Amino acid sequence: MVNLSTKIGSLTLANPIMPASGTFSEDLSEVLDLHQLGAHVTKTITAEKRGGNPTPRVCEVRGSMLNSIGIPSKGVQHFIDNTIPFYNAYDVPLVVSISANSADEFARICEQVSVPGVAAIEVNISCPNIEEDGKAFAMRPSTTTAVMEKLRSASDLPLWAKLSPNTGETIEVALAAEEAGADALVVANTLLSMAIDIHTRKPKLGNLMGGLSGPSLKPIALRMAYQCAKSVQIPVIGCGGISTVEDIVEYLIAGATAVQVGTATFINPNIMVTLLGQLETYLETRNIANLSDLVGSVRDEDAADAVVFMETAP
Amino acid sequence: MVNLSTKIGSLTLANPIMPASGTFSEDLSEVLDLHQLGAHVTKTITAEKRGGNPTPRVCEVRGSMLNSIGIPSKGVQHFIDNTIPFYNAYDVPLVVSISANSADEFARICEQVSVPGVAAIEVNISCPNIEEDGKAFAMRPSTTTAVMEKLRSASDLPLWAKLSPNTGETIEVALAAEEAGADALVVANTLLSMAIDIHTRKPKLGNLMGGLSGPSLKPIALRMAYQCAKSVQIPVIGCGGISTVEDIVEYLIAGATAVQVGTATFINPNIMVTLLGQLETYLETRNIANLSDLVGSVRDEDAADAVVFMETAP
Amino acid sequence: MSLIQRHTAGEVSPANGTTHEVETTVKSNTPVNGEYRLLTLDAPQSVLDCQPGQFFHILCPVTTTEQPYLRRPMSIYGYSAEKGELQFLYKVTGEGTRALATLAKGDRLNVLGPLGVGFTIQDDWQNLLLLARGVGLATLAPLAQEAQRLNRKLVAICSARNADVLMSIDHFKSLGAEVITVTDADGTSDLENLRAIIEGRIADQGVDAMYTCGSNRMLKLLQEIGATHNIPGEIALEQQMACGLGMCQCCVRSFNREGTITQERVCREGPVFGIEEAMAW
Amino acid sequence: MSLIQRHTAGEVSPANGTTHEVETTVKSNTPVNGEYRLLTLDAPQSVLDCQPGQFFHILCPVTTTEQPYLRRPMSIYGYSAEKGELQFLYKVTGEGTRALATLAKGDRLNVLGPLGVGFTIQDDWQNLLLLARGVGLATLAPLAQEAQRLNRKLVAICSARNADVLMSIDHFKSLGAEVITVTDADGTSDLENLRAIIEGRIADQGVDAMYTCGSNRMLKLLQEIGATHNIPGEIALEQQMACGLGMCQCCVRSFNREGTITQERVCREGPVFGIEEAMAW
Ligand SMILES: Cc1cc2nc3c(=O)[nH]c(=O)nc-3n(C[C@H](O)[C@H](O)[C@H](O)COP(=O)(O)OP(=O)(O)OC[C@H]3O[C@@H](n4cnc5c(N)ncnc54)[C@H](O)[C@@H]3O)c2cc1C
Ligand SMILES: Cc1cc2nc3c(=O)[nH]c(=O)nc-3n(C[C@H](O)[C@H](O)[C@H](O)COP(=O)(O)OP(=O)(O)OC[C@H]3O[C@@H](n4cnc5c(N)ncnc54)[C@H](O)[C@@H]3O)c2cc1C
Ligand SMILES: Cc1cc2nc3c(=O)[nH]c(=O)nc-3n(C[C@H](O)[C@H](O)[C@H](O)COP(=O)(O)O)c2cc1C
Ligand SMILES: Cc1cc2nc3c(=O)[nH]c(=O)nc-3n(C[C@H](O)[C@H](O)[C@H](O)COP(=O)(O)O)c2cc1C
Ligand code: FES
Ligand code: FES
């Protein structure tokens, strides 16, 4: 019997596999036993009702996908009345993802969802900060600090800061989030991308650009997860392109204490449970008693001082 | 007969297809007729002799690759004595890629390679700036301006600035390069990534991290090429993940006036010539007389004002 | 006022918990004409409790030349729990369907379904009319099977470019449907002729409900006729899909529900919607 | 002093301009034992002017479960311009070779080659000795063919875990080579026994040149023996490759050339190097 449990700060998860925000909903219970997941992570909600972006909202690129859904939201009250009770029927920690366009609004919804039945709040700071120049909070350490400090004072629940791969300052942003009181980092969100239909010459997404997710994102998000795990003391949750048990093991070795599975669930709705079984077998056959023995076990001694200079790889 | 020629500032290329730096050398003449290319772009060289990075220098990721070659260089004199004469046997513009760790060194080698037989200089500003904090010049507009201004005064040849996808400030960097006198932008270099061998738990690259190239990079580099073409007046040369004629057409529609093909040549050494034939057929069958009719023809009217706010795509 | 009682977002429970991701085996995969192919699968019972209008989300194979990533939604063309059989009629259009076309007898295929909310045949609807063109036939065909089972009368108006690409005529006939064919080549497929045919049926035999699929033109035609004669109808819609299960919210379309524009997920609240609430696009 | 005159980076022109990217057709692809398979291709004449020790860069097929991206380097195991045939002996290890293993007669396979610089057999080398283990046999096998053509004597020392996975013994014998087998199971494959066998050959028949492949242990052994007896030798090396053509500079290894450490590309200056200059790793 291997011990698959993992600790994200004060929170202990039965296993390290959870869904990524926006790629999961109550609907998955039709196919999969939601009890088996390490946590339930809900689609990002905003305080106000929102319609979301124009269609088409997804398109396929070679071996991966782009999306620009745009956080359609029924509003926070609908969420509290309907979604939280649904998940509370399960004995699995509920993680609520929130977002807003300004730091104050962000703090307000953070407070609003700090209710019983919620185990942690994932703060999707990859959304544009309309008070500044429209760049997402997570693009710069300064805006990350500003919003995280307000969020920190708005709730006593664990706060997971979800970072963006669009920044050129991953480590600085990670440190800023930690400094301002984040309890964990989720690394990472989607990467801004584009595809054009060459027949119509129109962008394939109604919103022109969208976020890359799926296998193509993995080497990038893994690099970020590694950089973050090396730089901060708080737990890092790996996310991006996971679709095999080898991917999960790779993230754990890189230093992630848990992982989120997103797009792969669209391809194989059962995949999170399949991966859980495979992870258990993996550890068993290698006589690894505790999942935590894998975490951060990367053998990077040889190259360790190269890291600093590897801001780019020509 | 369609007109495949394209203008990159003062330079006219017979066709828009050229190799990407570092994925091409004299050796390809064994397989392919180098006369057929729109330009010849050489591997980045540095002034001094350099050994390059530890092996393994490449690894495979799902549908793409990582590399960390590290600019091994025989030095500028060897290049002038051997490489330039080789390419001058062809009636194809020669583009020389250069790099350095400081702005002054960069200017020096720029001057050194400004010799007859060189049609343009590609400045690989995606390399770390060791005078600052080790981040690549192309990570920030300020460092881009600083190095580009020195380069501009060092040579009268056309300067193509090669941008990095690692920055969170693509448009600002593009504008800085233009402002400082770049004649064209090459968009983009590889994206910092990582892969770990789960059996040995060692990074798959000797240098720990490396750059992602190949199909996975395409939606990201295409987005950047589009953003740049919308923002600057100078020509944009698209680069990243091109492996089909549809990919080329997509870059052209997005606003690129020419393209560079990199990793795809490793998969199919003949691909640049194959693509050239396919591009000609594509234009012919659609009665597009001039390649330039395709350039920038993206139909983004509907969504145009969304662009500004699409710094991230949650 | 909505003529047909439909699920709203809150109370949906499609497929009654019968959605499964399963491996099937290809029985046959044969060309129907130059563009369309019929795929017959050996499928487990767990996914064969289907409703006409529902769909499956298909994991197309990957080959050296075709590398589809997302699943592809396909209407159920035929299903039989007795034979353990599932059928799709598909048009070879892009990477995914080209990959599907490579499947041979004995190959495995992963499918997810049945998904979504299918067509309704209310108890008092005796005379059914369906209007189909192109791939719409695939979606509407199982309605004929269900009509026969429920002992209703069905007339199928089948439209196509020319007689060569008219499909499933025999299929409809064998299921007891009356078939009217119209083609562009004959000049019989224009809207005014269709209107005349349908108005004629309404006047002669009466029509209790109308069904269609896909096209804007047909939607508008049936909306007009339905409004004039107070005849309910249903339409199966398409939209780009990622999850197919209701999770990603990418597949929304706008609907006019009692004056308010709402967005509904085609994969979950649909793909079948009331004709009167569907909005032309 | 370098015992063998080798190409240096400047003057390399491998394959004499005979490198081509071509489509071949699989003639057969059969298991040799539990781990190895022999792939025989119908290949065009343009790529059949090969030298022992050269390699091809193979574009493995893509399937739903295996999706290799880069090409995979494989030594030429057999080539015959008369038969229009090219052969590879490969070990199924990862994604690419698993994909290769799925190829069936009639399937197409894109290969690039012949690549690199092969083995040398100088005019005055009459008694050749090769030392091979595992997949090294694939690389060294064509040397026997060439030795026969040039009428030289060849002794092949073949090493393996046990007798079951000893390969190509008959192949070597049919090409007139003398074969000595050693196995871990018999306890005959250890370095000291190998040293004794080779020293014995040198004392009895004499050895003019030694060839090996891959392993550090064997490299060191032959370097020692070569230095002691002043016998030249060659080794075929491996390294991760992307282009296979000399463009990307990823496949370098370090060599000791007259006291200076230089880096050479395995795909271009190699894969065959002088034993005395190769460095253990
Ligand atoms: C509920 C539903 C039922 C369908 N039933 C059938 C059917 O029975 N037979 C049939 O031939 N076709 C049907 N379609 C359309 C079918 O899904 C597309 O033709 C198919 O996805 C095209 O995939 P492709 O890779 O060949 O084409 P590509 O154009 O290469 O596809 C690119 C992407 O666009 C998506 N896409 C393309 N066309 C459509 C479309 N019309 N609707 C939704 N997504 C699309 C694909 O799924 C894919 O993600 C149905 C669509 C929906 C939504
Ligand atoms: C010049 C040369 C000749 C070779 N000849 C043969 C041969 O005749 N028979 C044979 O079985 N093998 C041979 N190899 C080794 C063969 O290339 C690898 O076994 C094969 O690439 C493994 O691919 P994979 O996808 O199955 O394994 P994976 O381990 O999944 O491969 C992952 C990546 O590592 C690379 N890689 C893995 N092992 C090696 C290796 N030993 N050398 C270089 N790259 C490697 C692969 O090419 C691929 O890019 C040769 C290697 C070289 C360099
Ligand atoms: C359709 C879709 C919707 C998403 N919505 C959200 C969201 O609302 N909030 C968020 O933080 N991330 C969202 N994401 C990003 C995912 O949570 C995840 O970070 C990303 O997809 C990378 O993981 P993956 O490659 O496993 O999908 C969304 C991703 C997809 C594909
Ligand atoms: C092996 C390798 C070496 C490279 N070396 C360089 C280099 O020296 N200078 C440079 O500017 N870009 C270099 N690049 C980046 C390519 O020029 C190109 O920007 C990148 O690979 C994206 O294009 P692709 O996806 O078509 O390969 C290299 C890429 C690879 C794969
Ligand atoms: S396809 Fe995901 S919600 Fe409909
Ligand atoms: S593999 Fe590219 S230089 Fe050898």
Side-chain angles (χ1 to χ4, degrees), chain B residues 26 29 34-35 40 42 45 75-92 94-96 112-113 115-119:
Chain B
E26 298 91 308
S29 65
L34 301 189
H35 282 106
H40 295 155
T42 55
I45 54 161
V76 65
Q77 199 53 51
H78 182 272
F79 183 83
I80 291 173
D81 295 343
N82 297 275
T83 311
I84 295 181
F86 175 91
Y87 287 109
N88 281 344
Y90 296 89
D91 187 22
V92 172
L94 175 63
V95 181
V96 173
Q112 286 174 304
V113 298
V115 296
V118 175

Side-chain angles (χ1 to χ4, degrees), chain C residues 11-12 149 238 254:
Chain C
E11 35 165 309
V12 166
R149 195 181 67 83
E238 296 186 357
S254 297

Side-chain angles (χ1 to χ4, degrees), chain C residues 67-111:
Chain C
Q67 292 162 30
Y69 177 66
L70 295 170
R71 286 177 181 261
R72 302 296 195 256
M74 288 288 161
S75 299
I76 303 164
Y77 178 71
Y79 58 96
S80 161
E82 298 84 62
K83 292 199 240 169
E85 207 174 85
L86 196 55
Q87 288 186 309
F88 300 99
L89 181 73
Y90 64 99
K91 183 171 175 185
V92 180
T93 39
E95 193 152 30
T97 47
R98 277 198 304 269
L100 271 189
T102 66
L103 287 173
K105 186 170 153 59
D107 286 347
R108 309 282 287 165
L109 183 70
N110 178 305
V111 304

Side-chain angles (χ1 to χ4, degrees), chain A residues 126 135 166 168 172 190 192-196 200-201 207-208 216 219 222-223 250 294 297 299 307 310 312-313, chain B residues 126 135 166 168 172 190 192 194-196 200-201 207-208 211 216 219 223 250 294 297 299 307 310 312-313:
Chain A
S126 312
K135 293 216 177 195
N166 293 315
E172 294 85 345
T190 56
L192 190 61
S193 294
M194 188 174 186
I196 297 173
T200 64
R201 299 195 190 172
N207 199 41
L208 209 55
S216 295
L222 181 78
R223 178 262 301 172
E250 210 176 340
L294 217 49
S297 61
R299 293 177 50 204
V307 186
M310 280 305 301
T312 182
Chain B
S126 313
K135 294 216 177 196
N166 293 316
E172 293 85 344
T190 56
L192 191 61
M194 188 173 184
I196 297 172
T200 63
R201 300 195 190 172
N207 199 41
L208 210 56
S216 294
R223 177 264 299 172
E250 210 176 340
L294 218 49
S297 62
R299 293 178 50 205
V307 185
M310 281 302 302
T312 183

Side-chain angles (χ1 to χ4, degrees), chain B residues 127-178:
Chain B
C127 50
N129 172 1
I130 55 168
E131 289 166 334
E132 294 261 342
D133 53 5
K135 294 216 177 196
F137 294 104
M139 292 295 285
R140 283 175 298 219
S142 58
T143 43
T144 301
T145 303
V147 71
M148 287 305 299
E149 283 177 348
K150 290 220 167 139
L151 289 167
R152 183 67 288 169
S153 28
S155 178
D156 292 330
L157 285 175
L159 293 182
W160 298 0
K162 182 146 178 197
L163 304 193
S164 166
N166 293 316
T167 181
E169 306 176 90
T170 299
I171 295 172
E172 293 85 344
V173 168
L175 289 168
E178 177 180 43

Side-chain angles (χ1 to χ4, degrees), chain A residues 313-314, chain B residues 19-23 42-45 57-58 65-71 97-98 122-126 162-163 186-190 211-218 221 239-243 260-266, chain D residues 69 242 247-250:
Chain B
S21 175
T23 64
T42 55
K43 167 82 182 166
T44 300
I45 54 161
R57 291 179 173 183
V58 292
M65 65 172 281
L66 308 186
N67 86 82
S68 174
I69 308 290
I71 320 195
S97 172
I98 58 170
E122 185 173 291
V123 292
N124 179 2
I125 55 175
S126 313
K162 182 146 178 197
L163 304 193
V186 180
V187 184
N189 216 310
T190 56
L212 175 70
S213 66
S216 294
L217 186 61
K218 204 201 73 185
C239 176
I242 291 175
S243 55
Q260 295 186 345
V261 178
T263 308
T265 293
F266 298 167
Chain D
Y69 177 66
M247 302 187 288
C248 71
Q249 310 204 40
C250 76

